[in-house]
Amino acid sequence: MTAQSAEQVGFQGTGVSIFPITQATAATFTDLFIGVTFLCFICAGSKRVVCPVNGEFVGEAGDLLIFPSGSIVTLENRPVSAANYRATGIYFDHELIDAVFAGPPRASGSPGVQIVREAASADYDVVEVTRQALHDDTLPLSVKRHRVLEPLVWLRHHGIHLPRRGEDQPLNKVRRLIETDISQPWRVEDVARHFAMSEASFRRWLAKSGPGFSQILLNTRLEKGLGMLQSTDTPISSIALECGFKTPSHFSEAFRKRFGLKPRSIRTAEF
């Protein structure tokens, strides 16, 4: 869910990315990692969310879902009859979240995934306000960065809570390193050296987050590929290579094992 689309180009430095999400076939994606705060406005279809904090719920067209950074969730995107699931996604970097949601962290920890029902009928359009700020080429970058805080202020005013950045867990740190060059043939000894650890110490440190290095590497690559399938028209063969797979068939098989469908089914409905 980190792919760049045409709509994202040119927003470097603002701390915000906005992009379309399209899916042709209903599918459930388990244990997805959300690295930075993610807003998802549903345009058509529905999204089932299983959140460790807030349980299971379904977002419908017109709803806005808010995913805190560091979330690990299960999502099911459900297209409507004869039409794709469509949504608009927005990522906000840690600095923007910290600027708006100041103050001591809540004792309860992460608030989990939150939802604003029927956000499309509200008197304030979070997606459109963000898009207008990003596309206004008359604004200096510093002013744009200030403008994109406004939707976060609106969310806070309406009771949404987002945790400020705390100490990163090992999983976050390793995934962020891999994402700097996802096509690189990462080896555990090289990553351990990056963190100034022996391989044995690195594996013990990483065990605090659960999955081992090989699984983190594979998940990072597959989730990057999923995001590119949903939000770009990049050929699947190019996605496979960009995400670090040796061949498109290797990518397709790993994708099917992880998500239960072939990569092409994200873009073309199966009947």
Side-chain angles (χ1 to χ4, degrees):
M1 301 175 70
T2 57
Q4 291 285 320
S5 72
E7 192 173 4
Q8 287 178 281
V9 174
F11 299 154
Q12 289 84 357
T14 63
V16 176
S17 297
I18 183 168
F19 50 95
I21 301 169
T22 303
Q23 189 173 310
T25 305
T28 299
F29 309 112
T30 59
D31 298 329
L32 292 182
F33 177 77
I34 311 296
V36 294
T37 299
F38 172 57
L39 273 56
C40 180
F41 178 76
I42 303 172
C43 303
S46 62
K47 180 188 288 288
R48 182 176 70 93
V49 178
V50 181
C51 167
V53 178
N54 294 328
E56 180 176 336
F57 59 89
V58 176
E60 305 287 353
D63 292 345
L64 178 69
L65 282 69
I66 301 97
F67 297 80
S69 64
S71 301
I72 299 178
V73 297
T74 292
L75 304 178
E76 180 187 3
N77 293 333
R78 300 168 170 173
V80 293
S81 178
N84 291 344
Y85 166 87
R86 293 186 296 104
T88 299
I90 311 175
Y91 285 120
F92 288 90
D93 72 13
H94 296 303
E95 286 75 16
L96 295 175
I97 300 301
D98 289 352
V100 173
F101 294 89
R106 293 187 176 185
S108 58
S110 173
V113 182
Q114 300 157 89
I115 186 167
V116 178
R117 295 288 184 185
E118 299 182 345
S121 62
D123 57 359
Y124 184 89
D125 190 329
V126 168
V127 173
E128 190 56 30
V129 169
T130 305
R131 182 180 283 117
Q132 287 179 4
L134 293 173
H135 282 285
D136 190 344
D137 294 332
T138 67
L139 297 176
L141 180 59
S142 58
V143 177
K144 277 191 179 185
R145 192 166 169 86
H146 182 76
R147 287 275 181 90
V148 295
L149 292 174
E150 186 181 301
L152 297 176
V153 174
W154 185 87
L155 288 173
R156 178 169 181 168
H157 177 73
H158 284 76
I160 298 299
H161 169 66
L162 289 169
R164 298 185 65 194
R165 176 174 37 182
E167 182 179 353
D168 270 348
Q169 294 298 309
L171 171 63
N172 305 41
K173 293 181 178 180
V174 172
R175 285 190 64 127
R176 190 160 57 243
L177 175 63
I178 292 169
E179 288 169 355
T180 61
D181 186 358
I182 203 164
S183 64
Q184 179 175 323
W186 293 97
R187 300 184 306 168
V188 64
E189 55 266 35
D190 297 329
V191 177
R193 191 177 304 114
H194 172 86
F195 290 106
M197 298 181 190
S198 67
E199 185 176 333
S201 296
F202 173 74
R203 291 186 185 277
R204 287 193 297 270
W205 174 72
L206 195 55
K208 298 175 183 178
S209 292
F213 174 73
S214 295
Q215 191 63 54
I216 292 173
L217 177 60
L218 179 60
N219 285 347
T220 304
R221 287 174 167 167
L222 288 172
E223 290 170 31
K224 169 74 171 181
L226 172 61
M228 293 184 71
L229 288 165
Q230 292 174 326
S231 63
T232 77
D233 57 4
T234 304
I236 293 175
S237 57
S238 298
I239 291 175
L241 297 177
E242 186 172 333
C243 291
F245 292 90
K246 294 181 179 178
T247 65
S249 60
H250 182 203
F251 170 62
S252 182
E253 180 62 18
F255 191 93
R256 185 191 61 77
K257 286 182 178 179
R258 169 80 196 276
F259 298 124
L261 74 171
K262 296 178 180 179
R264 67 170 181 264
S265 300
I266 297 296
R267 293 173 170 172
T268 304
E270 294 184 333
F271 298 101

